């Protein structure tokens, strides 16, 4: 969706169900070897489902951010959308807060999918964007593309 709107080469190496540790392990091949100018890093929900402490998830993000910066790649952080599992969402809430704070202190741009997709009354994903309680519907992916588009256009300008 973004490729069509931005007329840029965009490579999506996201793997559904991946953990952030796996993202780190693939980072050199999936990101650095592609020689991009920017990378959007989004993940962590599967880590929370897998009972990984939010501090470990944040550490894994910091590792990827450091790898990007070391290789002159501008990191952009995607803030995960809400999920319906209460124990997962509690962990992700803490993680999102710490991640946003880290990005703010390091002047790293974020794409806040969460704020756009959360139902403020229930804390869950807005029904129109929700496919199964943790994955976006086609309409959810459309809104994610719009949120990303706005941030990426600002960065490129």
């Amino acid at each position: 969706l973004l490729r069509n709107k931005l007329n840029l080469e965009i490579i999506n190496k996201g793997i559904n169900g991946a953990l952030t540790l796996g993202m780190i392990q693939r980072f050199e091949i999936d990101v650095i070897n592609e020689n991009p100018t920017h990378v959007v890093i989004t993940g962590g929900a599967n880590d929370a489902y897998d009972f990984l402490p939010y501090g470990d998830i944040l550490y894994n993000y910091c590792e990827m951010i450091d790898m990007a910066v070391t290789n002159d790649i501008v990191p952009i952080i995607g803030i995960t959308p809400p999920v319906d599992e209460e124990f997962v969402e509690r962990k992700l809430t803490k993680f999102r807060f710490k991640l946003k704070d880290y990005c703010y202190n390091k002047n790293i741009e974020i794409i806040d999918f969460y704020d756009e997709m959360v139902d403020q009354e229930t804390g869950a994903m807005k029904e129109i964007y929700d496919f199964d309680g943790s994955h976006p519907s086609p309409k959810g992916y459309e809104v994610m593309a719009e949120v990303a588009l706005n941030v990426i256009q600002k960065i490129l300008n």
Side-chain angles (χ1 to χ4, degrees), residues 5 7-8 11 27-28 44-45 47-48 50 56 65 71 78 80 86 93 96 98 108 110 119 139 145-146 149 152 155:
K5 294 178 186 238
N7 197 28
L8 293 173
I11 301 169
F27 203 85
E28 185 171 347
D47 295 68
D50 219 31
D56 291 358
I65 290 167
N71 288 279
T80 57
E86 188 178 327
T93 298
R96 288 184 197 103
K98 295 287 188 183
I108 298 171
I110 65 168
D119 180 325
K139 186 70 175 168
E146 286 300 318
L149 177 68
I152 292 170
I155 291 168

Side-chain angles (χ1 to χ4, degrees), residues 23 27 31-32 36-42 60-79 99 102-111 151-152 154-156:
M23 292 167 64
F27 203 85
V31 179
I32 296 167
T37 57
H38 297 74
V39 61
V40 177
I41 303 169
T42 306
N60 291 342
Y61 260 80
C62 292
E63 286 290 307
M64 289 183 277
I65 290 167
D66 288 345
M67 291 168 67
V69 170
T70 298
N71 288 279
D72 297 318
I73 302 167
V74 176
I76 304 166
I77 301 304
I79 304 299
L99 182 61
Y102 178 86
C103 290
Y104 175 77
N105 288 324
K106 297 283 188 177
N107 289 322
I108 298 171
E109 291 287 337
I110 65 168
I111 301 172
V151 173
I152 292 170
K154 182 178 88 172
I155 291 168
L156 295 177

Side-chain angles (χ1 to χ4, degrees), residues 86-102:
E86 188 178 327
F87 81 94
V88 174
E89 188 53 41
R90 273 196 312 269
K91 189 177 295 181
L92 287 175
T93 298
K94 292 176 187 175
F95 164 66
R96 288 184 197 103
F97 177 80
K98 295 287 188 183
L99 182 61
K100 285 180 181 182
D101 188 54
Y102 178 86

Side-chain angles (χ1 to χ4, degrees), residues 1-6 10 40 76 110-117 129 136-155:
L1 295 172
L2 274 178
R3 184 179 346 208
N4 294 338
K5 294 178 186 238
L6 289 170
I10 295 177
V40 177
I76 304 166
I110 65 168
I111 301 172
D112 199 336
F113 299 120
Y114 177 85
D115 280 351
E116 185 64 34
M117 299 177 81
Y129 303 144
S137 66
K139 186 70 175 168
Y141 283 116
E142 288 175 21
V143 79
M144 288 177 78
E146 286 300 318
V147 172
L149 177 68
N150 292 335
V151 173
I152 292 170
Q153 283 179 325
K154 182 178 88 172
I155 291 168

